[in-house]
Amino acid sequence: MKRILCYGDSNTWGFNPHGCDEVSGAHLRYGEDVRWTAQLARLLSCTVLEAGLNGRTTVFDDPTSEGRNGLAHLAPILLSCDPVDAVVVMLGTNDVKDMFSAPALNISEGLERLVRSLRALLDGSLSHGAKILLISPIALTAGADGAYFYGFSADSTRKIAELAPLVRDVAKRQHCAYLDAALYAAPDPLDGVHIAPEGHATLAEAVAKALRELL
Protein backbone atom coordinates (compact mmCIF):
# COMPACT_ATOMS: atom_id res chain seq x y z
CA MET A 1 0.00 0.00 0.00
CA LYS A 2 1.32 3.44 -0.96
CA ARG A 3 2.22 5.87 1.82
CA ILE A 4 1.64 9.59 1.24
CA LEU A 5 2.88 12.30 3.63
CA CYS A 6 0.81 15.51 3.51
CA TYR A 7 2.82 18.38 4.98
CA GLY A 8 0.96 21.63 5.45
CA ASP A 9 -0.82 24.13 7.66
CA SER A 10 -4.37 24.46 8.98
CA ASN A 11 -5.87 23.65 5.59
CA THR A 12 -4.13 20.29 5.77
CA TRP A 13 -5.02 19.84 9.44
CA GLY A 14 -8.69 20.46 8.64
CA PHE A 15 -9.45 23.71 10.49
CA ASN A 16 -13.18 24.26 11.00
CA PRO A 17 -14.01 27.93 11.62
CA HIS A 18 -17.58 27.13 12.68
CA GLY A 19 -17.14 26.86 16.43
CA CYS A 20 -14.66 26.11 19.21
CA ASP A 21 -14.07 23.38 21.74
CA GLU A 22 -16.04 24.14 24.90
CA VAL A 23 -13.20 23.20 27.24
CA SER A 24 -10.03 24.52 25.59
CA GLY A 25 -11.48 27.22 23.37
CA ALA A 26 -9.49 25.82 20.43
CA HIS A 27 -11.09 25.83 17.01
CA LEU A 28 -12.67 22.61 15.84
CA ARG A 29 -11.21 20.17 13.30
CA TYR A 30 -13.24 18.66 10.48
CA GLY A 31 -13.71 14.92 10.77
CA GLU A 32 -12.39 12.27 8.43
CA ASP A 33 -15.61 12.47 6.44
CA VAL A 34 -14.64 16.02 5.39
CA ARG A 35 -10.84 16.48 5.51
CA TRP A 36 -9.27 16.31 2.05
CA THR A 37 -6.41 14.22 3.40
CA ALA A 38 -8.77 11.54 4.72
CA GLN A 39 -10.79 11.59 1.50
CA LEU A 40 -7.53 11.23 -0.43
CA ALA A 41 -6.74 8.04 1.47
CA ARG A 42 -10.09 6.57 0.45
CA LEU A 43 -9.78 7.65 -3.17
CA LEU A 44 -6.33 6.10 -3.57
CA SER A 45 -6.76 3.21 -1.11
CA CYS A 46 -3.49 4.29 0.46
CA THR A 47 -2.08 5.38 3.80
CA VAL A 48 -2.11 9.15 4.18
CA LEU A 49 0.09 10.52 6.95
CA GLU A 50 -1.52 13.80 7.99
CA ALA A 51 1.06 16.39 9.08
CA GLY A 52 -0.91 19.61 9.11
CA LEU A 53 -0.33 22.27 11.77
CA ASN A 54 -2.26 25.48 12.33
CA GLY A 55 -0.07 28.49 11.59
CA ARG A 56 2.80 26.58 9.94
CA THR A 57 4.96 28.67 7.60
CA THR A 58 7.59 27.69 5.07
CA VAL A 59 10.67 29.03 6.89
CA PHE A 60 9.52 31.79 9.25
CA ASP A 61 9.57 31.62 13.05
CA ASP A 62 6.26 32.89 14.41
CA PRO A 63 6.95 35.09 17.47
CA THR A 64 3.48 34.38 18.85
CA SER A 65 3.29 30.58 18.45
CA GLU A 66 5.96 27.94 19.00
CA GLY A 67 7.00 25.37 16.41
CA ARG A 68 5.48 26.90 13.28
CA ASN A 69 8.62 26.96 11.12
CA GLY A 70 8.02 24.30 8.46
CA LEU A 71 11.67 23.93 7.50
CA ALA A 72 12.81 23.50 11.11
CA HIS A 73 10.40 20.62 11.75
CA LEU A 74 10.55 18.90 8.38
CA ALA A 75 13.25 16.35 9.22
CA PRO A 76 11.70 14.83 12.36
CA ILE A 77 8.28 14.61 10.75
CA LEU A 78 9.51 13.07 7.52
CA LEU A 79 11.85 10.60 9.20
CA SER A 80 9.18 9.53 11.69
CA CYS A 81 6.98 8.61 8.71
CA ASP A 82 9.77 6.93 6.72
CA PRO A 83 9.32 5.29 4.25
CA VAL A 84 6.90 7.24 2.06
CA ASP A 85 6.15 7.07 -1.65
CA ALA A 86 5.24 10.74 -2.04
CA VAL A 87 5.24 13.99 -0.10
CA VAL A 88 2.53 16.58 -0.70
CA VAL A 89 3.52 20.08 0.45
CA MET A 90 0.91 22.83 0.74
CA LEU A 91 2.36 25.85 2.52
CA GLY A 92 2.51 29.61 2.04
CA THR A 93 -0.76 30.91 3.45
CA ASN A 94 0.63 31.88 6.85
CA ASP A 95 3.66 33.48 5.24
CA VAL A 96 1.46 36.28 3.88
CA LYS A 97 0.50 37.46 7.38
CA ASP A 98 1.33 41.11 7.99
CA MET A 99 3.77 40.33 10.80
CA PHE A 100 6.24 38.67 8.40
CA SER A 101 6.25 41.57 5.87
CA ALA A 102 7.39 39.11 3.20
CA PRO A 103 6.87 39.71 -0.53
CA ALA A 104 5.50 36.78 -2.51
CA LEU A 105 8.89 36.25 -4.17
CA ASN A 106 10.61 35.84 -0.79
CA ILE A 107 7.93 33.38 0.30
CA SER A 108 8.52 31.28 -2.81
CA GLU A 109 12.26 31.40 -2.12
CA GLY A 110 11.62 30.06 1.36
CA LEU A 111 9.49 27.29 -0.11
CA GLU A 112 12.25 26.40 -2.55
CA ARG A 113 14.71 26.19 0.34
CA LEU A 114 12.32 23.80 2.09
CA VAL A 115 11.96 21.67 -1.04
CA ARG A 116 15.73 21.40 -1.44
CA SER A 117 15.98 20.23 2.17
CA LEU A 118 13.15 17.79 1.61
CA ARG A 119 14.88 16.33 -1.43
CA ALA A 120 18.10 15.83 0.53
CA LEU A 121 16.22 14.17 3.37
CA LEU A 122 14.44 11.82 0.97
CA ASP A 123 17.69 10.88 -0.77
CA GLY A 124 19.26 9.92 2.55
CA SER A 125 16.32 7.92 3.87
CA LEU A 126 14.21 4.85 3.12
CA SER A 127 12.11 7.20 1.01
CA HIS A 128 14.74 7.77 -1.68
CA GLY A 129 12.90 8.00 -4.97
CA ALA A 130 9.76 9.43 -3.37
CA LYS A 131 7.88 11.96 -5.50
CA ILE A 132 7.05 15.52 -4.42
CA LEU A 133 3.82 17.36 -5.19
CA LEU A 134 3.77 21.10 -4.49
CA ILE A 135 0.39 22.74 -4.01
CA SER A 136 -0.03 26.52 -4.03
CA PRO A 137 -2.61 27.76 -1.48
CA ILE A 138 -6.26 28.62 -1.98
CA ALA A 139 -7.34 32.26 -2.27
CA LEU A 140 -7.63 34.42 0.84
CA THR A 141 -10.35 37.01 1.42
CA ALA A 142 -12.00 39.04 4.15
CA GLY A 143 -14.58 37.22 6.24
CA ALA A 144 -18.34 37.51 6.02
CA ASP A 145 -18.39 40.71 8.12
CA GLY A 146 -15.74 42.36 5.92
CA ALA A 147 -12.93 41.95 8.45
CA TYR A 148 -9.73 39.95 8.08
CA PHE A 149 -8.79 37.34 10.68
CA TYR A 150 -5.65 35.69 12.12
CA GLY A 151 -3.29 38.54 11.19
CA PHE A 152 -4.15 38.70 7.49
CA SER A 153 -5.12 41.79 5.51
CA ALA A 154 -6.02 43.01 2.04
CA ASP A 155 -2.29 42.94 1.31
CA SER A 156 -2.32 39.23 2.14
CA THR A 157 -5.01 38.69 -0.48
CA ARG A 158 -2.79 40.30 -3.11
CA LYS A 159 0.32 38.35 -2.08
CA ILE A 160 -1.36 34.96 -2.11
CA ALA A 161 -2.66 35.62 -5.62
CA GLU A 162 0.90 36.40 -6.70
CA LEU A 163 2.21 33.22 -5.08
CA ALA A 164 0.67 30.59 -7.38
CA PRO A 165 2.85 31.20 -10.47
CA LEU A 166 5.92 31.50 -8.27
CA VAL A 167 5.21 28.12 -6.64
CA ARG A 168 4.68 26.65 -10.10
CA ASP A 169 8.12 27.95 -11.06
CA VAL A 170 9.66 26.41 -7.92
CA ALA A 171 8.08 23.08 -8.83
CA LYS A 172 9.51 23.28 -12.34
CA ARG A 173 13.03 24.14 -11.14
CA GLN A 174 12.99 21.44 -8.46
CA HIS A 175 11.41 18.78 -10.70
CA CYS A 176 8.26 18.44 -8.62
CA ALA A 177 4.65 18.01 -9.68
CA TYR A 178 2.46 21.08 -9.20
CA LEU A 179 -1.19 21.79 -8.38
CA ASP A 180 -3.00 25.09 -7.79
CA ALA A 181 -5.45 24.51 -4.93
CA ALA A 182 -7.31 27.73 -5.78
CA LEU A 183 -8.64 26.06 -8.93
CA TYR A 184 -10.42 23.41 -6.87
CA ALA A 185 -11.27 24.86 -3.47
CA ALA A 186 -12.42 28.21 -2.09
CA PRO A 187 -12.18 29.70 1.40
CA ASP A 188 -15.14 29.45 3.73
CA PRO A 189 -17.05 32.75 3.53
CA LEU A 190 -17.11 32.90 7.33
CA ASP A 191 -13.39 33.60 7.77
CA GLY A 192 -12.05 33.84 4.20
CA VAL A 193 -9.07 31.62 4.99
CA HIS A 194 -9.97 27.98 5.52
CA ILE A 195 -11.24 25.50 2.96
CA ALA A 196 -15.02 25.15 2.93
CA PRO A 197 -16.33 21.57 3.34
CA GLU A 198 -17.23 21.13 -0.32
CA GLY A 199 -13.74 22.31 -1.26
CA HIS A 200 -12.15 19.50 0.71
CA ALA A 201 -13.90 17.00 -1.57
CA THR A 202 -12.91 18.67 -4.86
CA LEU A 203 -9.34 19.22 -3.70
CA ALA A 204 -9.04 15.57 -2.65
CA GLU A 205 -10.12 14.49 -6.13
CA ALA A 206 -7.61 16.81 -7.79
CA VAL A 207 -4.74 15.66 -5.56
CA ALA A 208 -5.70 12.02 -6.12
CA LYS A 209 -5.58 12.55 -9.90
CA ALA A 210 -2.19 14.24 -9.67
CA LEU A 211 -0.76 11.46 -7.49
CA ARG A 212 -2.08 8.71 -9.76
CA GLU A 213 -0.18 10.32 -12.63
CA LEU A 214 2.90 10.83 -10.47
CA LEU A 215 3.07 7.35 -8.97
Side-chain angles (χ1 to χ4, degrees):
M1 181 179 288
K2 299 292 186 183
R3 289 168 56 83
I4 313 297
L5 172 62
C6 292
Y7 193 65
D9 51 33
S10 55
N11 274 325
T12 297
W13 183 76
F15 187 102
N16 178 355
H18 296 269
C20 298
D21 179 76
E22 293 182 358
V23 176
S24 66
H27 271 282
L28 301 177
R29 183 184 192 186
Y30 285 120
E32 293 188 356
D33 58 326
V34 174
R35 292 199 305 272
W36 70 265
T37 46
Q39 295 192 57
L40 178 66
R42 293 193 291 272
L43 288 168
L44 294 181
S45 298
C46 68
T47 298
V48 169
L49 304 151
E50 298 176 295
L53 176 66
N54 296 336
R56 178 177 282 145
T57 68
T58 56
V59 298
F60 296 112
D61 289 315
D62 186 330
T64 65
S65 300
E66 186 178 358
R68 266 48 179 188
N69 185 321
L71 177 62
H73 292 87
L74 179 62
I77 289 177
L78 172 66
L79 296 177
S80 68
C81 296
D82 203 21
V84 298
D85 297 284
V87 181
V88 178
V89 178
M90 185 167 69
L91 288 170
T93 295
N94 292 296
D95 300 56
V96 304
K97 288 179 177 178
D98 288 350
M99 68 171 151
F100 296 121
S101 300
L105 178 60
N106 290 155
I107 295 169
S108 71
E109 290 170 341
L111 178 63
E112 188 157 13
R113 182 181 169 203
L114 185 147
V115 172
R116 289 196 300 266
S117 294
L118 172 59
R119 184 79 71 188
L121 287 166
L122 291 172
D123 288 347
S125 73
L126 296 175
S127 302
H128 53 84
K131 306 298 184 181
I132 301 172
L133 171 62
L134 291 186
I135 304 180
S136 55
I138 65 169
L140 189 152
T141 67
D145 63 357
Y148 281 86
F149 296 91
Y150 322 119
F152 297 109
S153 68
D155 198 40
S156 305
T157 295
R158 176 186 59 80
K159 288 179 183 179
I160 212 162
E162 295 173 351
L163 196 55
L166 295 171
V167 175
R168 182 191 60 214
D169 291 345
V170 170
K172 184 176 181 179
R173 286 193 297 271
Q174 297 300 323
H175 307 290
C176 304
Y178 170 73
L179 185 73
D180 183 353
L183 298 178
Y184 305 99
D188 193 303
L190 181 64
D191 69 358
V193 177
H194 295 101
I195 300 173
E198 58 272 17
H200 278 272
T202 53
L203 181 59
E205 291 171 359
V207 175
K209 182 176 183 295
L211 287 173
R212 288 191 191 100
E213 296 171 355
L214 196 58
L215 298 175

